[in-house]
Amino acid sequence: MSGVVPTAPEQPAGEMENQTKPPDPRPDAPPEYNSHFVPGPPGTAVPPPAGYPGGLPMGYYSPQQPSTFPLYQPVGGTHPVQYQPGKYPVPNQPVPITWMPGPTPMANCPPGLEYLVQLDNIHVLQHFEPLEMMTRFETNNRYDIKNNSDQMVYIVTEDTDDFTRNAYRTLRPFVLRVTDCMGQEIMTMQRPFRCTCCCFCCPSARQELEVQCPPGVTIGFVAEHWNLCRAVYSIQNEKKENVMRVRGPCSTYGCGSDSVFEVKSLDGVSNIGSIIRKWNGLLSAMADADHFDIHFPLDLDVKMKAMIFGACFLIDFMYFERSPPQRSG
């Protein structure tokens, strides 16, 4: 029949969609497939938790529903994120330093020593420097001075050039600067270089420490005395007159126990105070991280308290300062 226009055979709907759909421009696109998932009957509705009247956002889990992340907590919402002090520290935030309350100025007391007037015990904590063990490069010593309440009293920093530190090591001359909470230098301790190659009984070979408070005004000296079997020092006033003595143990290394240096009167009868180097286990044996406890009477003259405080550092450098081992070759 001439009036009838031939038509193409009908094709299934699926084949029609495949022909009309443009090719996927993405390279190596995965082949498409038809899902055979058949939805089941709706389950029991779970009420939204408190604080989320419209339900939880997408991606969050409800505490009432089991999930693979039962401890996951939503970050957003109406409840702010709170941290308990000491339990969840904020990263990259320095730990705040608690300083001892500043005392009022006192008559006949060098400025900055008012703290010592109120104390009969202080702790000297040396900073641990891991780079010294790794690089064998001697760095300046640093110390924190604290009271029994763990409040910072002073900060002590060594001020010695790199060549002197690494050339003379434990025998190096040094300058220690004591600063308060305001960063002001209230005390300076200086140790001159003394040659140890000559006879130990020679006065020129004995170690000495000068204490200045305020800086530039000498209040006393700590002088070493030669002794065959123990450490002995004299604490002197600004005129180099002996006032007290410091008597150390026979074994100053104190491996496995504390090392006690007794502060006595000149006649050796009265016990005035003590400088105790605490044993901290392997940290004391392998690294420079010393901990000293200094005890003195509460009513002792504040200048003499400062002198006992200074004697602690001379003892540390002479007996407990460990230089990084040198490479042989």
Side-chain angles (χ1 to χ4, degrees):
M1 298 177 64
S2 59
V4 178
V5 179
T7 59
E10 295 184 359
Q11 298 180 357
E15 295 182 6
M16 293 289 293
E17 292 177 0
N18 293 337
Q19 292 180 359
T20 59
K21 188 175 182 179
D24 195 339
R26 295 175 299 173
D28 300 331
E32 295 189 2
Y33 57 90
N34 295 326
S35 175
H36 300 284
F37 172 76
V38 178
T44 306
V46 179
Y52 295 91
L56 290 176
M58 182 177 298
Y60 289 87
Y61 296 87
S62 174
Q64 289 83 3
Q65 294 180 347
S67 65
T68 56
F69 304 95
L71 298 181
Y72 187 85
Q73 297 294 334
V75 178
T78 58
H79 300 284
V81 179
Q82 297 180 354
Y83 295 95
Q84 295 181 4
K87 191 173 183 180
Y88 302 101
V90 180
N92 300 328
Q93 181 176 354
V95 179
I97 299 177
T98 304
W99 285 87
M100 180 178 174
T104 58
M106 302 178 182
N108 301 324
C109 178
L113 295 187
E114 296 89 355
Y115 295 94
L116 296 181
V117 175
Q118 309 176 25
L119 300 174
D120 60 354
N121 173 227
I122 55 177
H123 304 272
V124 179
L125 307 173
Q126 183 178 3
H127 287 209
F128 173 61
E129 301 292 347
L131 289 180
E132 288 190 358
M133 302 181 64
M134 297 166 48
T135 63
R136 297 178 173 88
F137 183 83
E138 186 76 34
T139 60
N140 280 321
N141 288 359
R142 295 180 300 163
Y143 306 84
D144 291 342
I145 315 302
K146 297 185 177 183
N147 58 15
N148 286 334
S149 300
D150 202 35
Q151 295 174 331
M152 191 79 73
V153 182
Y154 301 120
I155 293 179
V156 181
T157 307
E158 180 184 0
D159 186 7
T160 309
D161 61 272
D162 295 340
F163 173 79
T164 302
R165 287 196 314 271
N166 291 274
Y168 296 98
R169 299 288 174 171
T170 59
L171 298 177
R172 64 184 182 266
F174 61 76
V175 175
L176 297 179
R177 305 190 185 278
V178 184
T179 56
D180 58 7
C181 62
M182 303 298 294
Q184 298 178 351
E185 183 178 351
I186 56 99
M187 186 189 307
T188 303
M189 292 175 277
Q190 299 180 356
R191 175 200 189 186
F193 175 74
R194 293 297 172 88
C195 180
T196 58
C197 59
C198 57
C199 179
F200 289 104
C201 59
C202 179
S204 61
R206 299 174 189 172
Q207 299 296 320
E208 185 180 77
L209 180 76
E210 179 184 359
V211 180
Q212 301 175 359
C213 185
V217 180
T218 302
I219 63 172
F221 299 85
V222 180
E224 179 193 17
H225 286 269
W226 183 83
N227 191 282
L228 185 61
C229 58
R230 67 175 69 242
V232 178
Y233 300 89
S234 288
I235 295 180
Q236 305 171 340
N237 58 17
E238 67 277 7
K239 300 178 181 179
K240 287 198 170 184
E241 299 172 344
N242 294 337
V243 180
M244 295 178 290
R245 288 187 180 272
V246 179
R247 186 171 180 267
C250 293
S251 176
T252 54
Y253 295 100
C255 183
S257 61
D258 298 344
S259 299
V260 181
F261 294 78
E262 300 176 340
V263 182
K264 294 182 171 291
S265 59
L266 291 179
D267 55 10
V269 176
S270 302
N271 190 9
I272 299 176
S274 62
I275 302 172
I276 304 175
R277 190 256 189 172
K278 308 294 290 185
W279 173 256
N280 292 330
L282 292 178
L283 195 62
S284 297
M286 300 179 61
D288 284 338
D290 294 320
H291 175 193
F292 290 88
D293 281 354
I294 303 178
H295 301 266
F296 35 63
L298 184 62
D299 57 350
L300 184 66
D301 180 57
V302 68
K303 292 183 179 180
M304 293 299 103
K305 289 184 179 182
M307 293 307 304
I308 298 175
F309 174 58
C312 172
F313 296 96
L314 184 59
I315 292 172
D316 181 36
F317 272 85
M318 290 187 61
Y319 297 105
F320 305 109
E321 176 76 4
R322 289 175 175 81
S323 295
Q326 299 296 304
R327 287 189 176 94
S328 59

